[in-house]
Amino acid sequence: NLHQAVHAARRALGASRIALRDDVLQLCPHDTLSVDVEEFEHAAAAARVDSDVDALRRALEMWTGRLLPEDEYDAWSIPRRRRLAETHATLVAQRAVQLIDAGQPDAALAAEFFESLHPLTS
């Protein structure tokens, strides 16, 4: 039942975060709703354009991992997951080049620098 689900969500998120009017559900009706994937994509686009060190760092810090890992085989999510993984890999490569150019090849090769990379085929 929609009303029971809304009641449970309001308890978990707060009453002001979910509104139900005329059977239309609104998330964050009084706030701006942000989506981490969209924020990452915007930050990545900005970082790729100017290759600014701080912009690349911020974008890489926004990476939270694979998109919807629990829905790995849902066909609708596969293209978006691949695009996001490719974007992340591009940022990692740009940052590695920056580190090498700055005379820090060990930092560029550090395992923890690449720990969040995932195969693009899955």
Side-chain angles (χ1 to χ4, degrees), residues 21-84:
R21 293 185 186 98
D22 299 322
D23 289 332
V24 174
L25 185 68
Q26 292 178 305
L27 298 176
C28 303
H30 307 292
D31 299 326
T32 302
L33 180 66
S34 66
V35 178
D36 60 347
V37 169
E38 291 175 355
E39 289 179 3
F40 170 73
E41 288 175 322
H42 291 302
R48 286 185 298 189
V49 168
D50 59 15
S51 297
D52 177 64
V53 171
D54 291 329
L56 277 169
R57 275 192 206 132
R58 277 191 303 277
L60 286 167
E61 287 171 2
M62 295 176 103
W63 176 254
T64 58
R66 296 172 51 82
L67 175 67
L68 302 172
E70 66 279 1
D71 295 325
E72 189 156 331
Y73 300 106
D74 284 346
W76 67 269
S77 66
I78 293 170
R80 186 78 183 267
R81 181 180 299 113
R82 285 185 179 155
R83 264 193 323 275
L84 288 167

